[in-house]
Amino acid sequence: MTARLYAAADGGNSKTDVVVGDSDGRILSRVTGPTISPHVLSFEGALAQLSALVAQARREASLPPSIELSHLAVYTAGADLPIEVDRLNTEISALALAATTTVDNDLFALLRAGTATPDAVGVVCGAGINAAGRRADGATSRFPALGQRSGDWGGGQHLAALALYHAIRSEDGRGPATALEPAVRDHFGLPTVEAVTIALHLGDLPESRLDELCEVMFAVATAGDELATRVVRRLTDEIESLVRVSAKRLDLLEAPYTIVLGGGVLTARHPMLHDDLMPRLHALSPRATVNVLSSPPVAGAALLALDALHGGPCPPALESAVRAAL
């Protein structure tokens, strides 16, 4: 039987990975490009970017135009609300990039990358923060994930913004003194935090460099600064809350399920965060297994595409081949 072909995309807030593979577990190409999140690009921009990346992945896999993909699996940031997921499914299907299409939030690719077990809760803490869960019977748990307006707290960009916020308030006296003040100005090599703020405002410092202050926050907290430590502890509280609420919604708190932790902030395993979080999660759900993601989320998207082609979980040998290739 001829192997069937698929494309799988994992789209985060800053970049997108796309792979082309086959039903025998081979990965034929992998490309990386800009985000396909409709929250960043608009729906029209997201569709155009996805089409371009799939076309690039097809070229790198040496697929002629006459060869049809059997399935396209797209898991992306910005597919948070049911109405967004439904619209993306409809509009991506209409692109006719493959015979069948699956579209959902990128957290489900993270979950599949982290575990094959059907009962699982995943938390991503990278640029932003979100959580989702799934259960063997198909039930899921989600959050709107629309930023602070939907109750979100945390993520690397938020911690970076808080580092600057507390540093300038320390400098001008509106807030408590904190070692974030000298750390922020020294990080950018400017004489004051106010100068850093103005440089970011005027574009003399690219806005993207503000994200660097997330690591500054962790470094200052690790050195013992009280205010920075409170921020990191608050992030730990938030991640624990996301797991607790997700697992409770799915009646998994007392069950043997898997907790998957992903995103750059969590996979960095900062000791102040990681070493506090692990015992909290074990106390929350003593029968749960905690996995810090080691495979790229696009591996989860590829495995979900393979699951679709096989009509259920793909054979373990194929799963191992995909994980090794990616």
Side-chain angles (χ1 to χ4, degrees), residues 307-319:
D307 293 344
L309 290 181
H310 286 270
C314 67
L318 299 189
E319 179 160 339

Side-chain angles (χ1 to χ4, degrees), residues 223-265:
D225 181 76
E226 181 180 351
L227 193 153
T229 297
R230 287 204 306 270
V231 171
V232 174
R233 295 296 186 223
R234 169 71 191 278
L235 179 60
T236 313
D237 293 342
E238 190 67 18
I239 295 165
E240 181 186 9
S241 294
L242 287 168
V243 174
R244 174 176 48 78
V245 172
S246 299
K248 185 176 181 180
R249 287 174 174 175
L250 297 171
D251 295 321
L252 293 177
L253 277 175
E254 306 302 325
Y257 69 102
T258 302
I259 300 169
V260 179
L261 304 176
V265 173

Side-chain angles (χ1 to χ4, degrees), residues 81-125:
L81 304 176
I83 190 172
E84 294 170 329
V85 175
D86 290 345
R87 180 177 175 184
L88 284 168
N89 265 295
T90 298
E91 297 191 8
I92 291 175
S93 294
L95 295 174
L97 299 174
T100 59
T101 302
T102 302
V103 182
D104 213 326
N105 187 269
D106 58 333
L107 258 164
F108 291 97
L110 180 146
L111 273 176
R112 187 64 178 88
T115 181
T117 59
D119 294 331
V121 169
V123 177
V124 62
C125 186

Side-chain angles (χ1 to χ4, degrees), residues 142-290:
R142 303 166 186 255
F143 294 91
L146 301 176
Q148 288 187 320
R149 70 182 64 179
S150 63
D152 303 345
W153 194 99
Q157 291 180 339
H158 189 188
L159 263 64
L162 287 172
L164 183 60
Y165 170 86
H166 288 300
I168 196 164
R169 288 173 66 87
S170 171
E171 182 175 88
D172 66 21
R174 286 177 293 168
T178 170
L180 288 166
E181 178 189 334
V184 167
R185 67 173 184 248
D186 292 349
H187 179 79
F188 290 111
L190 292 173
T192 63
V193 182
E194 182 177 305
V196 173
T197 305
I198 292 171
L200 288 165
H201 175 71
L202 295 177
D204 297 328
L205 282 175
E207 188 70 23
S208 61
R209 291 205 61 195
L210 177 61
D211 294 349
E212 297 170 13
L213 294 182
C214 176
E215 290 300 317
V216 172
M217 177 70 80
F218 278 106
V220 172
T222 300
D225 181 76
E226 181 180 351
L227 193 153
T229 297
R230 287 204 306 270
V231 171
V232 174
R233 295 296 186 223
R234 169 71 191 278
L235 179 60
T236 313
D237 293 342
E238 190 67 18
I239 295 165
E240 181 186 9
S241 294
L242 287 168
V243 174
R244 174 176 48 78
V245 172
S246 299
K248 185 176 181 180
R249 287 174 174 175
L250 297 171
D251 295 321
L252 293 177
L253 277 175
E254 306 302 325
Y257 69 102
T258 302
I259 300 169
V260 179
L261 304 176
V265 173
L266 283 167
T267 58
R269 297 174 184 255
H270 296 286
M272 181 169 285
L273 176 63
H274 182 84
D275 295 348
D276 186 21
L277 181 61
M278 291 303 104
R280 289 202 203 186
L281 295 180
H282 288 303
L284 177 71
S285 289
R287 301 177 67 193
T289 300
V290 182

